[in-house]
Amino acid sequence: MRSKVLKSCLALAIGLAASLGTVEFAHAQAAKGPSGLPLPRFVTLKSKRVNLRIGPGTDYAVSWMYLKSGLPVEIIQEYDNWRRVRDADGTEGWVNQSLLSGQRAAIAAPWMKTKGKGVYVNLRREALPSASVVAKLEPGVMLMIGECTGDWCRAETDGASGWVAQSEIWGAYPGEAFK
């Protein structure tokens, strides 16, 4: 009897945790910034040279300079025409909104960069775990994202295109769907 109760409690806890993750995503996407757009949200850098500042204005010091256009960043705050962003490494700072684009991109499993050689993210022909592998992507590879279903994203990098599991990229939220 005790075993049944424990199993029931465990099943209830797992179900609650799963539904909270969905609610958390929906709540995060329901928040709107002063621009009227959702916060947080993913965007990309529009320019090859983008200054990351310690505050929202040109009077604030530059803490970092990005040298790659198309890099995905997450907008986490807005102030006037400035956006507080976070990159895949967790670095945060302020960027003028004119240097950001609504295009979507992602980075293949940046959290796996330190796992050593032989660790890959599979780019598949179809949005199925059993679909054939089109390319094996090293962690940290940048991908252009066309759409996401909530589980899979259509991606392209260096001439290879296919589908990547949404859980294996940084640049789309878990459960987020868009075209």
Side-chain angles (χ1 to χ4, degrees):
M1 178 71 168
R2 189 175 193 189
S3 173
K4 282 186 178 182
V5 171
L6 286 174
K7 286 180 182 176
S8 295
C9 287
L10 180 60
L12 181 62
I14 290 171
L16 183 59
S19 66
L20 285 176
T22 304
V23 170
E24 181 180 310
F25 171 70
H27 182 280
Q29 292 302 302
K32 303 277 186 202
S35 68
L37 296 171
L39 284 177
R41 68 182 180 276
F42 283 103
V43 296
T44 54
L45 300 181
K46 193 186 289 185
S47 178
K48 285 187 177 187
R49 294 174 58 99
V50 175
N51 289 331
L52 187 70
R53 296 183 179 275
I54 62 170
T58 55
D59 292 341
Y60 290 93
V62 173
S63 61
W64 187 260
M65 182 184 292
Y66 293 104
L67 299 173
K68 182 153 182 72
S69 65
L71 188 74
V73 293
E74 181 181 30
I75 296 177
I76 56 175
Q77 189 179 353
E78 298 178 344
Y79 177 78
D80 196 24
N81 60 342
W82 291 86
R83 304 296 180 256
R84 185 177 178 101
V85 300
R86 178 179 333 164
D87 66 20
D89 295 328
T91 302
E92 293 183 12
W94 293 87
V95 172
N96 189 285
Q97 62 106 28
S98 66
L99 299 171
L100 301 172
S101 167
Q103 287 187 304
R104 297 294 293 265
I107 297 176
W111 56 88
M112 293 171 47
K113 283 187 208 176
T114 60
K115 301 287 184 193
K117 293 192 182 271
V119 177
Y120 299 101
V121 172
N122 291 325
L123 186 64
R124 298 187 178 275
R125 189 168 311 286
E126 299 173 54
L128 297 167
S130 60
S132 60
V133 175
V134 174
K136 289 185 172 279
L137 309 173
E138 290 183 359
V141 167
M142 200 167 85
L143 306 158
M144 296 310 297
I145 301 295
E147 68 177 290
C148 290
T149 67
D151 294 316
W152 294 89
C153 293
R154 181 178 286 286
E156 184 178 323
T157 184
D158 293 330
S161 63
W163 293 86
V164 64
Q166 207 158 321
S167 62
E168 295 184 327
I169 60 170
W170 188 89
Y173 298 106
E176 179 185 16
F178 62 88
K179 285 191 180 217

